[in-house]
């Protein structure tokens, strides 16, 4: 006897036995509890601020800040409003984070690959580096670099000199070109070259798809970049003027410089994160089965082609997600700059907080800045990750 | 049958190269190819150049004299006297000098308990009792009483603002991990829940905390918590910071636990449902025991990073190990030039703890994976 399939009841079941109803109740309870807690805290905060006479609101952003910043990225003085001070802070955070990310990627990759070296000494050193640097708190490392750059280096008057680069308690001073409009032509040339290289490589790839012959693109690309950049430089009137630092009686004058605070933050973050990046790279390479490398050799790929077309694309899939985390960690750890007085966004907020007493607003600004950077980085990396993921059906 | 063939043995092949022992290892690993030989020579030269210099500074010309002038004399290397002079301040912070046996005993008890908890033989429900006793003993020893009661021991009261150094570092990291764990499990389950409101609440919490640096959470604990509380209620700074670190650690740990939950095949949940287990029975009896076993190494890594991150509380003026180093050296003109030796001392402490924990994490990973071997 065939049993007629029971149709599920369309009507919402309002009894406790219904899973859907219980779920609804749980959700309402959870939202109510969290909402109640938030309301309680917010209510207390407003009440406390009223009693203590603390003003609230973001209007203070338009008042003059009244403090100087050690290394403004752009024109800033103490008469400028707070929002400009915060902007300088964000700029400084991004500056140290971006340079740090580039350096840590290079160093970490070298050390991670070094763990596979045929040379035992290189392997041992890379292992020792990783274990040493990742087992010491990053704050302690920052403080130690700061000590090195501000107290153990020679005075400015006895600065160490390599060519025109000076290193002393005053920071690192190096020659820099004087910016003239001619340089804009050079950059335009560079950008044009990059676009041209992109098209050239696409053409080469099409050629490969059509004929099976792989035209070498390296020298062609290099020539394009060099020629167009140099061409732009000539059109711009070939500017060669440099600001070369000179050692004076008491100071190193001229040139561009990095402050000891910036160097301490950069060194501390880069060396600490490089240890983690090295581990990420090592595990990524280790995750590609040995047979892949052997197969690549069997079909006659060169060592470079093997790395570029077989090993790296597979290793990158494993490497990218944890690498994103390391980049985000580096950016978030740059907030420790407050401990040594590098004017990043946390340090500026801290000063503003002490001056105006607007704790909620200043902390909200810090969190907002980091949330924006974190979320946008992870969106970008998720996009890149999706691009490099295995394409399945 | 003209000729008789006389058997002549071929000459023996040469013995294969030895592949074991010191010399073959050196030949293979240090001078295998010309690039390898070149790097060996360069690195070796650098080592020969700098290692003796360092050893000279750190050991041969160093002094342990507690006289600052002896350290300033020409030709003297590292001044370990600075550490000898300051080690009690560095390790115990501002805790009253005569009472420092109390944090010492409290920390030793806690360390013993930590080591015991790491040994598989002791993994049972007795650990919970052990930890309760340990924490009670810790607070009685450190504070002088437990929440103002139980001052039968006749210990003088030491308020939390005088706690510092290593006891604080160890207590903050241990306690915040212990408190974060249940929260992390709940949040991880919540992120995989079928109920959209609960799922989004948990997701927002995790992403929010993971998106901001610990220092901003600590600033919040130190500047905003007092505003959060009703009129007249004040909370101890140490407690506020502990809450901050716990909330921070829980978000990271929740992601680790979620990884463990995701690694279980769906069949486990379905099988549990088919024998009629409820949601919580399924989680408690089937899912969590398997998931948590796989994430123990991950949680261990959480513990290591929280242990390192406690150094940040010095920015909100709690004097744990890093902070008490500043306390010892920053305001003392005599010993200030020998800050580096002090740093190396606490670096050694941090390194020993973190390295031991990371080795343990590797060992436990091998232990956990044993069940998966066939």
């Amino acid at each position: 006897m065939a049993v007629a399939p029971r149709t599920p009841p369309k009507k919402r079941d309002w009894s406790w036995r219904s899973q859907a109803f219980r779920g609804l109740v749980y959700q309402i309870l959870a939202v109510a509890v969290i909402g109640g807690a938030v309301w309680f805290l917010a209510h207390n905060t407003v009440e406390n601020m009223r009693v203590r006479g603390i003003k609230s609101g973001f209007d203070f952003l338009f008042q003059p800040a009244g403090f100087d910043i050690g290394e403004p990225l752009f024109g800033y003085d103490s008469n400028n409003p707070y929002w400009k001070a915060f902007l300088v802070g964000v700029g400084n955070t991004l500056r140290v984070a971006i340079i740090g990310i580039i350096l840590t990627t290079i160093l970490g990759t070298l050390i991670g690959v070094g763990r596979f070296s045929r040379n035992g000494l290189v392997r041992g050193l890379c292992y020792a580096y990783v274990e040493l640097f990742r087992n010491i708190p990053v704050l302690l490392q920052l403080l130690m670099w700061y000590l090195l750059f501000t107290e153990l280096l020679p005075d400015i008057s006895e600065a160490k000199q390599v060519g025109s680069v000076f290193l002393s308690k005053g920071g690192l001073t190096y020659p820099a070109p004087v910016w003239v409009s001619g340089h804009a032509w050079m950059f335009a040339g560079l950008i044009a070259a990059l676009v041209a290289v992109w098209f050239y490589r696409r053409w080469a790839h099409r050629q490969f798809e059509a004929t099976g012959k792989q035209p070498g693109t390296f020298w062609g690309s290099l020539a394009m970049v060099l020629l167009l950049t140099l061409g732009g430089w000539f059109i711009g009137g070939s500017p060669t003027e440099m600001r070369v630092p000179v050692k004076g009686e008491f100071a190193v004058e001229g040139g561009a410089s990095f402050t000891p605070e910036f160097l301490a933050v950069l060194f501390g973050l880069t060396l600490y994160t490089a240890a983690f990046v090295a581990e990420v790279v090592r595990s990524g390479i280790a995750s590609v089965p040995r047979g892949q490398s052997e197969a690549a050799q069997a079909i006659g790929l060169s060592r470079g082609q093997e790395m570029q077309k077989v090993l790296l694309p597979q290793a990158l899939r494993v490497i990218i997600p944890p690498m994103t985390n390391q980049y985000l960690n580096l950016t978030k750890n740059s907030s420790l700059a407050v401990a040594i007085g590098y004017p990043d966004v946390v340090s500026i907020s801290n000063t503003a907080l002490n001056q105006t007493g607007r704790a909620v607003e200043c902390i909200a600004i810090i969190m907002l800045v980091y949330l924006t950077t974190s979320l946008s980085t992870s969106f970008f990396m998720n996009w890149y990750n999706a691009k490099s993921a295995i394409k399945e059906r | 049958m003209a000729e008789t063939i006389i058997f002549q043995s071929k000459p023996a092949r040469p013995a294969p190269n030895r592949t074991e022992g010191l010399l073959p290892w050196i030949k293979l690993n240090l001078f295998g190819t010309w690039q390898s030989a070149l790097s060996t020579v360069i690195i070796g030269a650098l080592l020969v150049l700098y290692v003796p210099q360092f050893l000279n500074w750190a050991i041969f010309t160093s002094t342990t004299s507690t006289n600052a002038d002896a350290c300033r004399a020409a030709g003297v290397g590292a001044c370990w006297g600075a550490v000898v002079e300051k080690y009690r301040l560095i390790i115990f912070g501002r805790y009253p000098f005569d009472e420092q046996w109390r944090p010492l005993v409290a920390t030793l008890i806690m360390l013993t308990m930590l080591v015991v908890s790491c040994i598989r033989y002791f993994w049972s429900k007795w650990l919970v009792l052990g930890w309760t006793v340990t924490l009670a003993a810790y607070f009685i020893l450190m504070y002088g009483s437990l929440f103002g009661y139980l001052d039968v021991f006749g210990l003088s009261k030491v308020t939390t603002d005088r706690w510092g150094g290593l006891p604080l570092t160890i207590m903050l990291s241990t306690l915040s991990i212990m408190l974060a764990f249940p929260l992390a499990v709940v949040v991880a389950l919540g992120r995989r829940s079928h109920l959209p409101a609960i799922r989004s609440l948990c997701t927002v919490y995790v992403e929010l905390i993971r998106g901001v640096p610990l220092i901003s959470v600590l600033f919040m604990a130190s500047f905003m918590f007092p505003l959060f509380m009703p009129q007249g209620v004040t909370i101890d700074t140490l407690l506020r910071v502990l809450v901050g670190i716990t909330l921070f650690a829980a978000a990271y740990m929740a992601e680790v636990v979620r990884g463990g939950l995701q690694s279980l095949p769906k069949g486990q949940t379905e099988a549990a449902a088919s024998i009629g287990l409820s949601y919580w029975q399924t989680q408690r009896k089937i899912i969590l025991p398997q998931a948590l076993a796989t994430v123990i190494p991950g949680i261990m890594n959480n513990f290591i990073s929280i242990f390192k991150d406690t150094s940040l509380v010095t920015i909100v003026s709690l004097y744990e190990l890093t902070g008490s180093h500043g306390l010892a050296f920053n305001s003392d003109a005599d010993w200030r030039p020998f800050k580096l030796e002090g740093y190396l001392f606490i670096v050694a402490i941090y390194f020993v703890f973190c390295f031991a924990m990371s080795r343990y994490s590797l060992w436990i990973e091998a232990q956990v994976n044993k069940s998966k071997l066939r």
Side-chain angles (χ1 to χ4, degrees):
Chain A
M1 197 179 85
V3 180
R6 257 201 315 183
T7 48
K10 290 260 169 56
K11 211 175 65 181
R12 189 176 270 283
D13 187 355
W14 294 106
S15 87
W16 190 246
R17 284 166 184 264
S18 148
Q19 206 176 13
F21 177 68
R22 282 204 312 266
L24 194 66
V25 172
Y26 290 148
Q27 293 185 64
I28 291 174
L29 273 180
V31 171
V33 167
I34 302 283
V38 169
W39 179 84
F40 176 70
L41 296 181
H43 173 77
N44 284 336
T45 310
V46 172
E47 193 69 4
N48 278 323
M49 280 163 63
R50 194 178 56 77
V51 169
R52 297 187 199 176
I54 303 174
K55 285 187 200 149
S56 64
F58 285 95
D59 54 314
F60 78 100
L61 285 177
F62 300 100
Q63 293 161 4
F67 57 87
D68 273 318
I69 297 178
E71 38 191 318
L73 269 183
F74 48 85
Y76 167 86
D77 64 67
S78 56
N79 293 325
N80 285 131
Y82 274 107
W83 63 264
K84 211 166 168 186
F86 278 110
L87 218 55
V88 172
V90 175
N92 275 334
T93 297
L94 290 181
R95 178 166 74 131
V96 80
I98 290 172
I99 301 181
I101 283 174
I102 295 170
L103 292 181
T104 206
T105 310
I106 297 171
L107 183 65
T109 309
L110 285 179
I111 292 171
V113 172
R115 295 287 296 272
F116 293 96
S117 164
R118 293 200 185 106
N119 186 306
L121 219 46
V122 174
R123 278 201 310 269
L125 276 182
C126 291
Y127 172 74
Y129 176 90
V130 169
E131 289 300 337
L132 185 66
F133 277 82
R134 71 171 178 175
N135 282 323
I136 300 170
V138 61
L139 176 65
L140 201 50
Q141 296 193 28
L142 287 188
L143 290 172
M144 288 180 76
W145 283 111
Y146 187 57
L147 178 76
L148 174 79
F149 282 119
T150 54
E151 293 188 17
L152 302 183
L153 281 181
D155 282 327
I156 297 179
S157 52
E158 295 153 12
K160 282 189 178 164
Q161 184 176 4
V162 179
S164 293
V165 179
F166 294 89
L167 184 64
S168 71
K169 278 181 188 174
L172 182 78
T173 314
Y174 55 92
V178 179
W179 176 260
V180 290
S181 53
H183 284 115
W185 282 102
M186 196 173 96
F187 279 108
L190 182 65
I191 291 167
L194 292 180
V195 172
V197 164
W198 187 75
F199 276 109
Y200 173 54
R201 292 188 86 121
R202 217 170 67 149
W203 170 83
H205 190 71
R206 286 227 191 94
Q207 204 69 12
F208 171 68
E209 296 278 321
T211 63
K213 286 204 182 92
Q214 175 100 28
T217 53
F218 177 77
W219 292 110
S221 311
L222 190 69
M224 275 187 195
V225 170
L226 284 182
L227 279 179
L228 281 174
T229 313
L230 275 179
W233 183 65
F234 273 119
I235 294 172
S238 48
T240 52
E241 199 189 341
M242 300 281 279
R243 288 184 292 153
V244 181
V246 191
K247 199 192 299 196
E249 187 92 13
F250 300 108
V252 178
E253 282 153 10
S257 64
F258 291 125
T259 60
E261 287 82 14
F262 175 80
L263 289 176
V265 175
L266 185 67
F267 271 66
L269 290 180
T270 303
L271 296 183
Y272 178 74
T273 318
F276 289 89
V277 169
E279 277 300 277
V280 168
V281 170
R282 186 191 63 81
S283 62
I285 295 177
S287 74
V288 180
R290 212 189 160 82
Q292 294 291 321
S293 163
E294 290 164 355
Q297 284 163 19
I299 57 170
L301 296 191
S302 74
R303 182 89 183 147
Q305 282 175 326
E306 176 195 332
M307 201 49 146
Q308 192 196 339
K309 294 192 185 304
V310 179
L311 296 186
L312 271 186
Q314 298 186 66
L316 273 182
R317 266 178 219 135
V318 181
I319 288 175
I320 288 171
M323 195 76 127
T324 316
N325 275 339
Q326 292 312 325
Y327 290 166
L328 290 178
N329 280 348
L330 188 143
T331 314
K332 283 184 279 176
N333 281 338
S334 72
S335 61
L336 297 182
V338 67
I340 58 174
Y342 173 70
D344 77 321
V345 66
V346 177
S347 165
I348 302 258
S349 302
N350 202 19
T351 316
L353 193 160
N354 288 332
Q355 283 192 359
T356 63
R358 303 207 183 178
V360 181
E361 290 81 359
C362 289
I363 294 171
I365 289 177
I366 300 180
M367 292 192 157
L368 201 68
V369 167
Y370 281 102
L371 268 183
T372 319
T373 358
S374 297
L375 292 182
S376 50
T377 312
S378 50
F379 272 127
F380 173 75
M381 290 310 264
N382 283 344
W383 167 80
Y384 185 68
N385 196 23
K387 225 182 85 155
S388 67
I390 305 177
K391 303 278 190 297
E392 280 179 290
R393 277 161 288 169
Chain B
M1 301 297 279
E3 283 182 65
T4 46
I5 299 167
I6 299 165
F7 176 75
Q8 277 184 326
S9 64
K10 279 185 179 174
R13 277 186 296 179
N17 288 333
R18 276 181 62 188
T19 54
E20 280 170 22
L22 189 63
L23 272 179
W25 186 90
I26 289 179
K27 202 176 160 196
L28 185 69
N29 281 297
L30 297 184
F31 300 98
T33 57
W34 68 266
Q35 295 101 326
S36 175
L38 186 67
S39 9
T40 304
V41 169
I42 293 175
I43 296 174
L46 289 176
L47 288 181
V48 168
L49 202 63
Y50 286 110
V51 169
Q53 266 188 32
F54 175 75
L55 289 181
N56 216 11
W57 176 80
I59 300 173
F60 301 125
T61 60
S62 71
T63 169
T64 52
S65 156
T66 53
N67 180 358
D69 291 329
C71 290
R72 286 202 179 79
V76 174
C79 174
W80 300 116
V83 176
V84 176
E85 174 82 12
K86 299 280 188 184
Y87 78 96
R88 293 209 27 188
L89 190 54
I90 296 176
I91 289 185
F92 297 116
R94 298 198 303 147
Y95 208 86
F97 194 81
D98 295 329
E99 302 281 338
Q100 283 178 358
W101 62 271
R102 281 159 55 180
L104 179 68
V105 174
T107 311
L108 285 181
I109 294 177
M110 200 172 239
L111 282 180
T112 317
M113 201 57 206
L114 275 175
V115 172
V116 165
S117 312
C118 288
I119 301 169
R120 213 172 176 174
Y121 179 78
F122 295 107
W123 289 359
S124 67
K125 51 189 165 192
W126 291 105
L127 268 187
V128 180
L129 183 69
W131 272 108
T132 318
V133 173
T134 305
L135 290 178
Y138 182 90
F139 281 101
I140 291 174
L141 276 169
M142 289 292 284
Y143 192 68
S145 62
L146 201 61
F147 306 118
Y149 308 105
L150 267 179
D151 12 330
V152 285
F153 300 99
L155 297 171
S156 61
K157 193 174 159 186
V158 180
T159 48
T160 54
D161 56 319
R162 306 210 57 178
W163 298 13
L166 191 59
L168 192 61
T169 300
I170 291 177
M171 186 273 281
L172 270 180
S173 38
T174 313
L175 214 55
S176 54
I177 282 290
M178 279 161 73
L179 294 174
F181 180 70
L183 184 60
V185 172
V186 171
V187 171
L189 288 176
R191 275 199 84 169
R192 287 167 55 80
S193 163
H194 296 295
L195 310 173
I198 290 178
R199 197 173 54 228
S200 27
L201 279 179
C202 294
T203 310
V204 166
Y205 165 70
V206 169
E207 294 302 328
L208 204 66
I209 296 280
R210 276 163 41 96
V212 299
L214 175 58
I215 187 89
S216 63
V217 177
L218 288 178
F219 273 158
M220 209 164 142
S222 127
F223 295 119
M224 276 166 73
F225 269 26
L227 294 176
F228 283 164
M229 289 297 118
Q231 289 287 312
V233 179
T234 50
I235 297 185
D236 195 85
T237 315
L238 183 61
L239 191 61
R240 293 198 308 244
V241 165
L242 188 63
V243 170
I245 298 182
T246 304
L247 289 178
F248 186 79
Y252 282 82
M253 210 193 283
E255 285 298 273
V256 172
V257 173
R258 190 166 70 106
L261 293 174
Q262 272 176 350
S263 72
L264 288 188
K266 211 176 170 204
Q268 296 288 326
T269 327
E270 290 166 353
S274 75
I275 56 170
L277 296 187
S278 75
Y279 174 79
W280 286 110
Q281 280 175 325
T282 312
Q283 304 305 329
R284 200 160 52 83
K285 291 179 194 293
I286 310 289
I287 304 296
L288 285 179
Q290 300 184 65
L292 293 183
T294 56
V295 298
I296 291 177
I299 290 178
M300 204 60 208
N301 286 340
N302 274 143
F303 191 34
I304 298 176
S305 40
I306 285 299
F307 187 83
K308 286 185 293 179
D309 280 347
T310 52
S311 60
L312 266 62
V313 301
T314 162
I315 297 177
V316 291
S317 2
L318 279 180
Y319 298 101
E320 51 61 70
L321 211 45
T322 314
S324 59
H325 171 275
L327 215 57
F329 286 95
N330 282 351
S331 52
D332 191 337
D334 279 350
W335 292 107
R336 210 180 133 76
F338 309 108
K339 242 177 146 176
L340 182 65
E341 284 83 344
Y343 275 135
L344 292 179
F345 178 57
I346 55 175
V347 158
I349 296 179
Y350 275 116
F351 181 80
V352 166
F353 275 97
C354 294
F355 190 70
M357 285 191 282
S358 69
R359 292 296 99 171
Y360 175 73
S361 164
L362 287 182
W363 178 80
I364 198 83
E365 198 170 351
Q367 291 283 309
V368 167
N369 284 338
K370 251 184 195 169
S371 65
K372 291 181 189 145
L373 296 176
R374 302 208 182 269

